[in-house]
Amino acid sequence: MGPGPGRESVANRGDRCPARLANCSNEVECAGFSWRAILGFMAPSSGASFERHSRIDPALIVIAAGVCAALHVGKLPPAITALREALGMSLVEAGFLLSLVQVAGMSCGLAFGVLVDGLGLRRSMMLGLGVLGTVSAIGGLAQGVAMLMALRACEGFGFLLVVLPAPALIRHLVAPQRVSRVFGLWGAYMPLATALALLIGPLFIGAFGWRTWWWGLALVSLLMVAVVARCVPAEPAVAPARGTPWLQRLRRTLAEPGPWLVALLFTAYSGQWLAVIGFLPAIYMQAGVSGAATGVLTALAAAVNIAGNIGAGRLLHRGLAPGRLLVIGFVTMTLAAAATFAGANGAGLPGWARFVAVLLFSGVGGLIPATLFALAVRVAPGDSMLSTTIGWMQQWSAFGQFCGPPIVAWVASMVGGWEFTWLATGAASLCGLLLTAALVRLLASRPAAAPSYR
């Protein structure tokens, strides 16, 4: 995708890193432990013209805001049992409640991407965190399934406003040669939030109830608004998106095959990952595993996805082809899901082997989202359409997350168990492999456009 009509060169994109990064004055160190030391690769090289007034990298704050938003997606799985008892939900209703937060992304992801490009990146993120905090606080007062479902859908709009501007904002905050590594961290925001919710949620809900769990996350979101305002600088005052009419940005994004392919690939990944991880607590509890152990095991299954995301960023940085990473991810998810679920009435693998398969499903599958975020930067028609491209990708990702859990729940309800789950996830992986082949051909047809991920 070399420079041409409607497309910006990689070099030109790199030249637009702002002259300042942070004006957060707080020094954050704890017992000699420095986050910046751990995440030093996020810092620009010595030749970059960045100012540092804080030991917190603003890109880390952006990622933390994404984690905060994703906690509202991940807060439901540990609460499913409590909600079913309190509100009398069926298993299928629980599946829809799990995925309803994705309605906004499924229906409005592209439109919100265009909106974010014009509204401003940091402003959009702060607005979304405020929406999440407010709606979650109201959700804690819900007395019925219908009200809770409606509020879950509203939370999806706040989630979009937070996560859509993040990749573009990270590009403004990080030196170009470090972008792929930081995108590896950004790709882990969802599994990190899921792991935290699954680890903390069961204990919190057991002690204080699901309503206090909703209110606590509302407070965290509202506090994060202040942190973003304090520590993350706004993007340059003259943003490229504001010079391009929104309809033109929309048309240019949808006219390119690249945004379509990465968006559909995210659908193939996200639906099966959320379906498996989202129902793990219910599966374990049906198998007689204690609530505390269920939370730990499911949190670990979600957390290993973080390693896959970070690993993908490092492998891309070292020059490994993104198509190869996608193939490895989808093939492993197919085989691991079959090993996890195949076999009824004790005919399958022993419990410890099934859990190892779950870890492989999530961990190696984590190669996929970080690779797709890096590819989104490459296939976007230009920086002024980056949030629009991410919005389109988020819209199809949300579609997968909306359909995946109810489909898996329906299959389990029809057969009376989870042993055929691998067929549903395997179909998604097969679609992912076919789309990967198409994307590899597209990228190979534009060799001059191949950017360095380093």
Side-chain angles (χ1 to χ4, degrees):
M1 296 179 298
R7 188 171 301 282
E8 302 174 31
S9 70
V10 174
N12 289 341
R13 295 184 192 182
D15 290 341
R16 280 207 303 272
C17 285
R20 67 186 183 91
L21 256 183
N23 44 18
C24 175
S25 59
N26 295 332
E27 303 267 337
V28 176
E29 290 189 26
C30 180
F33 181 83
S34 170
W35 278 106
R36 190 179 176 192
I38 299 298
L39 298 167
F41 60 81
M42 296 173 64
S45 60
S46 57
S49 56
F50 290 88
E51 293 181 12
R52 292 285 183 180
H53 298 141
S54 170
R55 290 190 181 276
I56 299 183
D57 193 309
L60 179 59
I61 300 297
V62 172
I63 294 171
V67 172
C68 181
L71 280 170
H72 291 274
V73 179
K75 69 185 178 183
L76 187 66
I80 285 179
T81 301
L83 288 170
R84 292 188 69 185
E85 293 175 354
L87 304 179
M89 288 190 304
S90 68
L91 182 61
V92 174
E93 284 177 330
F96 275 108
L97 191 61
L98 185 67
S99 58
L100 266 173
V101 73
Q102 302 298 335
V103 165
M106 185 175 64
S107 59
C108 304
L110 180 63
F112 268 61
V114 176
L115 175 65
V116 165
D117 276 329
L119 181 64
L121 304 177
R122 187 182 68 162
R123 184 183 297 117
S124 170
M125 181 167 284
M126 294 168 60
L127 177 61
L129 288 167
V131 170
L132 285 170
T134 302
V135 174
S136 186
I138 298 173
L141 303 173
Q143 299 298 319
V145 177
M147 179 179 179
L148 197 59
M149 284 187 171
L151 291 170
R152 283 289 285 174
C154 292
E155 285 179 340
F157 292 101
F159 177 74
L160 282 182
L161 289 171
V162 176
V163 302
L164 293 186
L169 193 54
I170 287 171
R171 292 214 43 186
H172 284 294
L173 298 172
V174 179
Q177 65 270 26
R178 298 291 184 260
V179 166
S180 63
R181 290 187 175 187
V182 182
F183 276 156
L185 280 180
W186 169 248
Y189 80 93
M190 179 63 77
L192 177 56
T194 303
L196 289 173
L198 291 171
L199 189 62
I200 299 171
L203 300 176
F204 194 98
I205 293 169
F208 305 106
W210 72 268
R211 297 184 188 278
T212 309
W213 176 235
W214 256 241
W215 293 329
L217 291 178
L219 178 61
V220 171
S221 297
L222 295 176
L223 290 175
M224 185 56 69
V225 175
V227 174
V228 171
R230 174 75 173 173
C231 297
V232 178
E235 67 275 16
V238 182
R242 293 167 196 170
T244 308
W246 69 269
L247 187 57
Q248 183 178 346
R249 297 199 304 273
L250 188 67
R251 287 174 175 170
R252 286 171 60 185
T253 300
L254 295 182
E256 292 283 342
W260 282 89
L261 288 172
V262 295
L264 292 173
L265 277 162
F266 227 117
T267 305
Y269 163 78
S270 64
Q272 59 175 311
W273 188 86
L274 182 62
V276 171
I277 301 301
F279 279 120
L280 273 184
I283 294 171
Y284 286 145
M285 294 189 75
Q286 286 180 9
V289 180
S290 68
T294 291
V296 172
L297 292 175
T298 311
L300 180 59
V304 295
N305 190 264
I306 300 170
N309 278 273
I310 296 175
R314 291 185 175 275
L315 290 171
L316 289 171
H317 179 77
R318 294 177 181 178
L320 192 66
R324 182 172 299 179
L325 291 176
L326 294 175
V327 169
I328 292 172
F330 281 119
V331 169
T332 302
M333 292 181 83
T334 300
L335 298 176
T340 300
F341 294 104
N345 301 320
L349 296 175
W352 65 266
R354 289 174 183 261
F355 185 65
V356 170
V358 169
L359 296 181
L360 288 173
F361 174 90
S362 181
V364 182
L367 295 173
I368 296 172
T371 301
L372 292 177
F373 277 118
L375 286 172
V377 176
R378 180 173 173 182
V379 301
D383 269 2
S384 62
M385 275 72 72
L386 180 52
S387 292
T388 306
T389 300
I390 297 293
W392 190 230
M393 189 166 72
Q394 181 67 36
Q395 184 159 337
W396 283 94
S397 171
F399 178 77
Q401 293 178 65
F402 178 82
C403 296
I407 289 174
V408 168
W410 177 78
V411 171
S413 298
M414 289 295 99
V415 302
W418 303 94
E419 59 267 23
F420 288 106
T421 298
W422 66 276
L423 291 176
T425 60
S429 290
L430 178 60
C431 292
L433 290 171
L434 295 175
L435 291 166
T436 297
L439 181 60
V440 168
R441 287 195 298 270
L442 175 67
L443 298 177
S445 69
R446 303 170 179 175
S452 171
Y453 288 100
R454 298 172 182 164

